[in-house]
């Protein structure tokens, strides 16, 4: 059933509404400032990509090239093109207004046309346009964009400032550049704890001429609004540029499928202005079909055929008193339904935006991983249009952060510079020509971790100076960005920071004493040294928006950028790619708490096994925490709980390196992503121990109520025949959207009855409806760290690949119980239906869905199977 409605907008009596547009994208020339390099360069694009495409540099991601190629961003570069107005576009010159439009310049530049300076730019996220009437010629127009080194520019800005904007430089381990907060540019491009330093320069979005005689529409957006009287309307907003005041312009808005139409006679005044009109939806004759997040109702692909799409949905961020308990709730209600957000955090998919090809695949993987939400992190970019369109279509709820990371920007300078006519050009998504209402975006957020950095004094700001920094924080994020965003778009909530105590932070003057308070708002939580399976260390927060552990990507991903010599855990390459202090050691230390570490005397095998064990560890750690948050959704313990979100850090990678991601650069799923498919399943049994009692909770995201039984089996590690079977006598009532304790027993006696000890046995369990139909995945619980497990056999595992329609099936056989069975087909792109599983039956068939054509032979030859017992 369609719920996205097409909005038609007609402006009558406007002979040249849209005027003419001439794209200047394509092949330009690029010149280094000392004249030593002159090459062809694609626009949109960037200097690094151009150098690589022309064969002047290697793949910048290869081995240590991020350091070798630092010179690129220390140079100044000039993009130039020569163009003529051919017969189709000759009339451009004669229009009343002619604009040269840059959709995105990265970042500091001076622009000239035919030798005349048009202006300067210093904001990567802003669209710039310059009036060029009278400068444009019919033949041989020379357009030049001279880019200044972003690194030197940031240094220069810092020198000029009397104000310290911490942190001044990234930690040495990141091999990055300093003072990134002095330039309005993708913050992670100067390096991050998961990413390289490639301070890009270029024309990263399109360039064109736009000409018109009377009026130019800069922006159209349509936001559906739901009134307290239960009526829908659509607010249509136009940003227009009018040459001479126009009277009696007929504006008609219509949504034919909702039988809603409205015509107005209006006046457009000279100059740039913003106009808003409201179209009431004729709900008497039509029921508006709502947009729902994945798993809660329909989504449908919307076409972009020149019309605007309107999706109808409401969103509320509920922060209410909880009767008889301290704190406030914190959850999202979509179309009046409370929804648990399951998902992850999104970072830029590539250092060079012109080389991003993976967005569709990554978002599909998020959905296939049973996610319904993503947080677009504030240290990257405002994602490309396609990203939000896909999220709309796939039902992924998005929390989008304004791009501010790491403590305050140069507040006053920023505000003075960028608060201008259409202030939202930078920090609103609504800065595009044609805008759909993007139901996927459910909340705006002002910044990442700035409140926490101030509150818990990450940067040792002297006490006497603190009030000034707090004042600047409030000025920038509350009095400016928040106000501006809400003025532009009051159809969704705004949070000033993440993590934050939300309404409570506001009460405390916007910087709470403890923004991580589990009784309010959202939380970030990281602990690398403590046992990650010990759920008692996790905050029983209202909403977990960041938590996670690192792992290494697989060998096939690393092979693209490394040589054989690099394939040791203690190689220079291994430490070079690790940008998080002590990260490689932390992974081993955490893994050693649970597993025997790889001990092969063959260095290469030990390396491959180590990559594997880091993935096992990461998958288990994030599983434990995610399950904890899901099972805490219906409970309040000492006022804490009612958790309504679990977004782990992080979904994707920017390059081939160790990180917190569940998907490797290039799209390959790590073990964690296969685990997410299970721990984010709509119906899930969760097992855990509390004070020597073993519990199973049934978690359900479904709208309908369920009656469920648990079915559990105890196994000895040494045998594939279960030693005990347990199941409920009567089904238990599981209300839609809840977590219910369905089984509880003292662990000791339970194990004893089965002839087990903590070390010799484990349990598997699943949920069944009253007809005996399994609901959700089978889960398991270990009663001791696996390094202490007794009787684990070295399994003999074989596999056979068969063609199965478009996909392939892999028939796997084992002669012993095998934990963390990992199927790897190397560089053949695609994903399995399930992976990293615990095998308790002698055979299992999984599917492989390839992302390019492949064959049984190729897959059979590439397939390598690893299980826990193979590494020691
Ligand atoms: C966070 C994030 C990122 C970072 C991650 C891992 O708090 O906001 O900046 O990459 O932790 O350290």
């Amino acid at each position: 059933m369609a719920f996205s409605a097409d909005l038609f907008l007609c402006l009558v009596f406007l002979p040249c509404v849209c005027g003419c547009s001439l794209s200047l994208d394509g092949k330009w020339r690029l010149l280094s400032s000392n004249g030593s390099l002159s090459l062809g360069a694609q626009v949109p694009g960037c200097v690094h990509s151009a150098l690589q495409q022309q064969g002047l540099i290697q793949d910048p991601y290869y081995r240590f090239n991020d350091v070798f190629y630092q010179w690129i961003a220390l140079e100044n570069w000039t993009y130039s093109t020569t163009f003529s107005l051919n017969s189709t576009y000759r009339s451009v010159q004669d229009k009343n207004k002619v604009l040269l439009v840059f959709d995105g310049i990265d970042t500091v530049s001076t622009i000239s046309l035919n030798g005349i300076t048009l202006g300067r730019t210093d904001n990567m996220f802003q669209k710039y346009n310059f009036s060029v009437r009278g400068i444009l010629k019919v033949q041989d127009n020379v357009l030049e964009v001279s880019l200044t080194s972003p690194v030197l520019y940031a240094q220069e800005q810092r020198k000029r400032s009397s104000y310290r904007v911490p942190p001044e430089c990234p930690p040495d381990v990141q091999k990055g550049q300093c003072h990134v907060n002095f330039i309005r540019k993708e913050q992670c491009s100067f390096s991050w704890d998961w990413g390289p330093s490639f301070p890009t320069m270029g024309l990263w979005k399109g360039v064109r001429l736009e000409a018109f005689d009377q009026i130019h529409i800069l922006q159209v957006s349509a936001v559906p609004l739901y009134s307290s009287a239960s009526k829908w309307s659509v607010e249509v907003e136009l940003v227009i540029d009018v040459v001479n005041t126009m009277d009696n312009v007929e504006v008609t808005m219509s949504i034919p499928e909702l039988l809603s139409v409205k015509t107005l006679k209006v006046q457009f005044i000279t100059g740039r202005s913003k106009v808003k009109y409201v179209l009431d939806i004729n709900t008497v004759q039509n029921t508006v079909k709502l947009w729902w997040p994945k798993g809660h109702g329909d989504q449908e692909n919307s076409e972009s055929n020149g019309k605007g799409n309107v999706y109808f949905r409401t969103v509320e961020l509920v922060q209410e008193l909880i009767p008889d308990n301290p704190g406030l709730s914190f959850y999202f209600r979509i179309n009046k339904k409370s929804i648990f957000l399951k998902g992850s955090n999104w970072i830029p998919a590539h250092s060079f935006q012109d080389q991003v090809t993976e967005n569709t695949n990554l978002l599909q993987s998020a959905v296939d991983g049973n996610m319904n939400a993503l947080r677009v992190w504030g240290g990257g970019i405002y994602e490309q249009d396609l990203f939000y369109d896909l999220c709309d279509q796939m039902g992924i709820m998005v929390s989008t952060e304004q791009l501010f990371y790491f403590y305050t920007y140069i507040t006053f300078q920023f505000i003075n510079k960028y608060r201008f006519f259409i202030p939202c050009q930078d920090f609103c998504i609504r800065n595009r020509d044609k805008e759909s209402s993007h139901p996927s975006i459910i909340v705006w957020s002002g910044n990442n971790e700035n409140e926490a950095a101030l509150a818990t004094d990450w940067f040792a700001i002297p006490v006497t100076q603190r009030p000034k920094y707090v004042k600047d924080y409030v000025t920038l994020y509350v009095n400016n960005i928040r106000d501006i965003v809400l003025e532009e778009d009051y159809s969704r909530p705004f949070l000033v920071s993440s993590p934050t105590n939300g309404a409570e932070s506001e009460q405390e003057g916007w910087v709470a004493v403890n923004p991580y308070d589990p009784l309010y708002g959202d939380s970030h939580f990281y602990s690398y040294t403590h046992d990650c399976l010990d759920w008692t260390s996790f905050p029983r927060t209202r909403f977990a928006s960041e938590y996670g552990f690192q792992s290494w990507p697989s060998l096939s991903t690393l092979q693209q950028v490394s040589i054989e010599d690099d394939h040791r855990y203690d190689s220079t390459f291994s430490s070079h790619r690790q940008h998080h202090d002590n990260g490689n050691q932390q992974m081993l230390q955490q893994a050693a708490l649970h597993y025997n570490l790889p001990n092969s005397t063959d260095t290469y095998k030990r390396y491959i096994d180590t990559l594997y064990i880091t993935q096992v560890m990461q998958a288990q750690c994030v599983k434990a925490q995610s399950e904890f948050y899901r099972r805490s959704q219906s409970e309040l313990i000492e006022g804490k709980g009612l958790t309504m979100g679990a977004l782990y850090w992080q979904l994707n990678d920017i390059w081939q390196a160790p990180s917190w991601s569940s998907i490797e650069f290039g799209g390959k799923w790590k073990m964690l992503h296969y685990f997410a498919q299970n721990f984010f399943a709509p119906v899930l049994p969760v097992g855990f121990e509390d004070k020597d009692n073993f519990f199973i909770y049934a978690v359900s995201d479904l709208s309908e109520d369920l009656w469920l039984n648990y079915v559990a089996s105890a196994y000895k590690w040494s045998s594939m025949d279960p030693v005990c079977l347990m199941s409920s006598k009567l089904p238990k009532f599981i209300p839609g959207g809840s977590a219910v304790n369905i089984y509880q027993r003292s662990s000791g006696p339970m194990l004893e009855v089965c002839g087990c000890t903590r070390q010799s046995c484990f349990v598997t369990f699943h949920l069944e409806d009253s007809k005996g139909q399994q609901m959700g995945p089978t889960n398991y619980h270990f009663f001791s760290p696996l390094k202490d497990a007794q009787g684990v056999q070295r399994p003999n595992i074989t596999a056979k690949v068969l063609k199965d329609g478009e996909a392939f099936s892999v028939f796997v056989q084992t002669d012993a119980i095998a934990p963390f069975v990992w199927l790897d087909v190397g560089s053949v792109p695609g994903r399995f239906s399930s992976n990293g599983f615990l095998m308790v039956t002698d055979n299992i068939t999984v599917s492989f869905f390839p992302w390019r054509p492949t064959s049984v032979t190729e897959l059979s030859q590439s397939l390598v199977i690893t299980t826990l017992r193979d590494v020691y």
Side-chain angles (χ1 to χ4, degrees):
M1 196 54 99
F3 56 75
S4 93
D6 291 328
L7 171 77
F8 293 85
L9 186 70
C10 303
L11 306 179
V12 184
F13 305 132
L14 299 180
C16 191
V17 167
C18 300
C20 317
S21 179
L22 168 61
S23 169
L24 300 176
D25 292 351
K27 194 82 175 278
W28 288 44
R29 285 222 63 78
L30 182 60
L31 189 69
S32 61
S33 56
N34 62 11
S36 62
L37 284 168
S38 169
L39 55 147
Q42 201 60 34
V43 169
C46 69
V47 174
H48 288 83
S49 293
L51 291 167
Q52 187 186 358
Q53 278 148 13
Q54 298 300 317
L56 294 168
I57 60 169
Q58 287 178 320
D59 175 1
Y61 283 172
Y62 185 68
R63 299 194 75 206
F64 311 98
N65 281 347
D66 54 318
V67 170
F68 296 153
Y69 294 158
Q70 276 175 0
W71 62 269
I72 296 171
L74 297 172
E75 274 279 326
N76 299 329
W77 295 86
T78 299
Y79 274 85
S80 62
T81 186
T82 305
F83 64 92
S84 299
L85 304 175
N86 63 23
S87 51
T88 326
Y89 292 106
R90 197 144 297 162
S91 61
V92 162
Q93 230 197 348
D94 308 322
K95 298 285 179 201
N96 281 328
K97 267 207 172 181
V98 187
L99 298 175
L100 175 61
V101 180
F102 293 87
D103 282 329
I105 300 179
D106 180 14
T107 291
V108 182
S109 79
T110 304
I111 296 164
S112 71
L113 180 63
N114 297 331
I116 296 169
T117 302
L118 300 177
R120 296 180 210 292
T121 73
D122 56 10
N123 186 340
M124 179 181 182
F125 309 119
Q126 195 180 313
K127 181 164 151 180
Y128 287 92
N129 54 57
F130 303 97
S131 179
V132 293
R133 192 169 185 272
I135 305 176
L136 209 58
K137 305 184 290 186
V138 173
Q139 298 289 334
D140 299 330
N141 291 285
V142 179
L143 174 60
E144 285 190 346
V145 181
S146 302
L147 294 157
T148 304
S149 154
V151 177
L152 301 180
Y153 171 85
Q155 271 174 26
E156 197 48 40
Q157 296 299 306
R158 170 65 187 99
K159 268 190 221 146
R160 287 192 198 164
S161 168
S162 54
Y163 190 56
R164 185 170 85 92
V165 186
E168 305 248 31
C169 295
D172 291 347
V173 67
Q174 291 182 17
K175 297 163 272 286
Q177 300 291 353
C178 301
H179 310 303
V180 67
N181 39 18
F182 277 84
I183 179 168
R184 188 75 189 123
K185 174 173 169 50
E186 180 184 26
Q187 294 290 283
C188 64
S189 66
F190 275 40
S191 82
W192 216 258
D193 61 0
W194 35 254
S197 171
F198 285 117
T200 44
M201 278 172 278
L203 300 172
W204 72 297
K205 294 188 176 183
V207 185
R208 65 186 175 278
L209 282 172
E210 281 184 0
F212 54 99
D213 277 326
Q214 292 192 354
I215 179 171
H216 179 47
I217 300 181
L218 296 158
Q219 197 179 302
V220 184
S221 58
V223 176
L225 300 171
Y226 191 66
S227 74
S228 47
S230 306
K231 290 215 152 194
W232 283 101
S233 58
V234 176
E235 186 186 85
V236 178
E237 185 186 282
L238 305 178
V239 178
I240 47 176
D241 191 349
V242 177
V243 175
N244 291 310
T245 297
M246 304 163 73
D247 294 313
N248 286 326
V249 180
E250 198 172 281
V251 176
T252 300
M253 299 170 286
S254 69
I255 301 183
E257 58 188 280
L258 295 178
L259 306 176
S260 303
V261 60
K262 184 172 187 176
T263 299
L264 304 157
K265 281 248 162 75
V266 299
Q267 186 191 46
F268 287 161
I269 295 173
T270 307
R272 279 199 185 178
S273 59
K274 193 188 294 176
V275 289
K276 283 186 186 178
Y277 309 112
V278 174
L279 172 65
D280 292 320
I281 299 301
N282 184 355
T283 26
V284 182
Q285 298 178 45
N286 290 281
T287 311
V288 167
K289 292 176 188 87
L290 301 173
W291 179 94
W292 285 99
K294 176 88 179 147
H296 295 271
D298 284 340
Q299 305 85 40
E300 175 165 298
N301 289 0
S302 56
E303 308 153 18
S304 180
N305 54 359
K307 300 167 282 183
N309 293 307
V310 185
Y311 294 86
F312 295 89
R313 66 106 186 79
T314 60
V315 55
E316 297 153 89
L317 172 59
V318 184
Q319 301 183 75
E320 294 173 337
L321 288 171
I322 304 168
D324 306 323
N325 278 282
L328 296 173
S329 66
F330 188 90
Y331 64 92
F332 289 92
R333 215 156 38 195
I334 309 290
N335 302 327
K336 304 221 176 297
K337 182 182 181 196
S338 315
I339 291 185
F340 190 103
L341 270 64
K342 307 178 288 191
S344 186
N345 284 266
W346 173 276
I347 62 159
H350 206 296
S351 292
F352 313 117
Q353 278 299 307
D354 52 291
Q355 294 186 36
V356 170
T357 52
E358 294 290 336
N359 277 359
T360 312
N361 207 18
L362 284 170
L363 291 172
Q364 188 58 52
S365 291
V367 169
D368 292 342
N370 276 321
M371 297 181 176
N372 63 16
L374 290 174
R375 168 171 169 255
V376 177
W377 169 77
I381 54 156
Y382 298 111
E383 274 305 328
Q384 303 182 5
D385 297 355
L386 176 69
F387 176 90
Y388 291 100
D389 292 341
L390 289 170
C391 290
D392 291 346
Q393 292 160 21
M394 293 179 178
I396 302 173
M397 291 172 279
V398 183
S399 149
T400 287
E401 249 161 40
Q402 311 308 316
L403 301 180
F404 295 92
Y405 184 85
F406 253 0
Y407 197 45
T408 177
Y409 254 70
I410 8 132
T411 304
F412 293 116
Q413 199 183 334
F414 181 83
I415 291 161
N416 291 338
K417 262 192 183 168
Y418 300 123
R419 187 160 193 170
F420 54 90
F421 172 67
I422 310 168
C424 240
Q425 271 222 344
D426 173 353
F427 30 95
C428 288
I429 295 295
R430 291 170 75 175
N431 63 354
R432 304 179 319 172
D433 298 338
K434 220 166 246 116
E435 183 59 68
S436 93
S437 49
H438 285 316
S440 55
I441 301 173
I442 59 160
V443 61
W444 300 114
S445 172
N447 66 67
N448 177 61
E449 293 180 340
N450 289 18
E451 183 183 343
L454 256 186
T456 54
D457 199 18
W458 292 3
F459 303 118
I461 293 168
V463 182
T464 48
Q465 286 181 29
R466 195 170 182 277
K468 177 172 162 46
Y469 281 83
V470 171
K471 186 166 167 269
D472 281 0
Y473 173 89
V474 175
T475 308
L476 177 60
Y477 294 119
V478 182
N479 301 341
N480 278 276
I481 292 172
R482 178 174 179 271
D483 282 7
I484 291 165
V485 172
L486 289 178
E487 189 183 304
E488 285 286 317
D489 181 1
Y490 48 88
S491 74
R492 42 205 136 204
F494 183 95
L495 283 165
V496 178
S497 191
S498 173
T500 180
N501 291 348
E504 171 60 20
S505 288
E506 182 173 351
Q507 286 296 313
E508 295 180 36
W510 302 101
V511 178
V513 172
N514 172 23
Y516 296 94
D517 192 334
L519 299 175
Y520 302 95
D522 67 328
S523 281
H524 295 185
F525 175 79
Y526 296 93
S527 168
Y528 302 119
T529 45
H530 191 81
D531 176 354
C532 73
L533 303 182
D534 172 15
W535 61 265
T536 61
S537 67
F538 307 146
R540 204 182 278 276
T541 170
R542 302 279 188 245
F543 193 106
S545 48
E546 275 193 28
Y547 55 97
F549 291 85
Q550 281 203 334
S551 71
W552 273 84
S554 58
L555 183 71
S556 60
T557 296
L558 292 167
Q559 272 170 334
Q560 298 160 10
V561 290
S562 59
I563 59 171
E564 248 178 71
D565 270 3
D566 300 331
H567 299 155
R568 283 182 293 111
Y569 203 68
D570 58 359
S571 69
T572 314
F573 174 80
S574 293
S575 45
H576 179 80
R577 302 301 268 212
Q578 175 57 269
H579 280 197
H580 166 63
D581 235 346
N582 208 27
N584 289 349
Q585 287 65 36
Q586 279 170 358
M587 278 184 262
L588 292 188
Q589 280 158 13
Q590 184 61 245
L593 296 176
H594 313 283
Y595 319 106
N596 291 305
L597 291 185
N599 61 359
S600 172
T601 48
D602 175 342
T603 324
Y604 181 71
K605 175 163 169 31
R606 196 163 68 241
Y607 176 67
I608 315 290
D609 290 346
T610 306
L611 302 183
Y612 164 83
I613 207 77
T614 66
Q615 290 209 16
V616 170
M617 177 276 293
Q618 181 200 32
Q620 281 281 88
C621 292
V622 178
K623 170 182 189 276
Q625 208 165 338
S626 305
E627 289 185 348
F628 169 74
Y629 294 130
R630 288 194 73 190
R631 75 169 156 89
S632 299
Q633 68 183 272
S634 307
E635 268 179 356
L636 272 173
I637 294 172
E638 292 163 4
K640 297 175 200 155
L642 302 185
T643 309
M644 283 301 278
L647 308 179
Y648 64 76
W649 185 267
Q650 68 200 65
L651 180 75
N652 54 324
D653 262 341
I654 199 166
W655 71 336
Q656 307 87 343
S659 84
W660 295 255
S661 78
S662 62
I663 301 180
E664 299 175 9
F665 182 79
K668 187 169 177 174
W669 289 20
K670 287 180 175 173
M671 197 179 293
L672 170 57
H673 208 77
Y674 288 101
F675 274 41
Q677 225 180 3
N678 285 341
F679 64 65
F680 284 150
V683 177
L684 174 74
V686 176
F688 65 98
E689 283 183 271
D690 188 10
K691 301 188 191 86
D692 278 339
N693 282 307
F694 176 64
F695 293 83
I696 299 175
Y697 273 38
V699 180
S700 167
D701 278 351
L702 302 184
S703 305
E704 64 269 22
D705 301 334
L706 299 171
W707 287 91
L708 294 178
N709 288 303
Y710 70 84
V711 179
S713 312
Y715 288 86
K716 285 204 162 150
W717 284 106
S718 54
S719 158
M720 293 171 85
D721 297 319
V723 287
C724 256
L725 291 175
M726 299 161 271
S727 59
S728 44
K729 303 283 168 288
L730 287 172
K732 198 142 185 184
F733 180 64
I734 318 293
S738 73
V740 176
N741 175 0
I742 193 169
Y743 174 78
Q744 173 177 358
R745 197 148 168 219
S746 188
S747 314
M750 182 185 84
L751 289 165
E752 221 175 284
V753 170
C754 301
C756 287
T757 64
R758 286 189 162 273
Q759 288 73 30
S760 65
C761 292
F762 63 92
V763 289
T764 67
F765 47 90
H766 66 264
L767 301 168
E768 285 183 359
D769 67 12
S770 47
K771 295 191 196 99
Q773 179 76 32
Q774 177 164 348
M775 300 286 288
T778 299
N779 208 339
Y780 48 79
H781 180 76
F782 307 141
F783 293 89
S784 75
L786 289 196
K787 66 179 164 97
D788 302 329
Q790 288 163 1
V792 184
Q793 311 290 303
R794 195 182 295 275
N796 181 17
I797 295 205
T798 54
K800 194 167 170 45
V801 182
L802 300 160
K803 184 99 182 78
D804 182 9
E806 292 292 287
F808 294 84
S809 52
V810 186
F811 180 70
V812 187
Q813 276 185 300
T814 182
D815 60 0
I817 283 184
F820 310 120
V821 179
W822 183 242
L823 311 176
D824 190 343
V825 285
S827 57
V828 184
R831 70 164 180 95
F832 291 93
S833 53
S834 161
N835 210 347
F837 43 82
L838 170 66
M839 207 162 160
V840 293
T841 50
D842 57 9
N843 72 72
I844 182 173
T845 301
V846 296
S847 303
F848 179 75
F849 307 109
W851 295 333
R852 65 141 163 86
T854 180
S855 64
V856 168
T857 315
E858 187 188 26
L859 286 174
S860 306
Q861 282 168 358
S862 316
L863 182 64
V864 175
I865 303 183
T866 310
T867 82
L868 191 66
R869 198 59 192 81
D870 295 326
V871 308
Y872 63 95

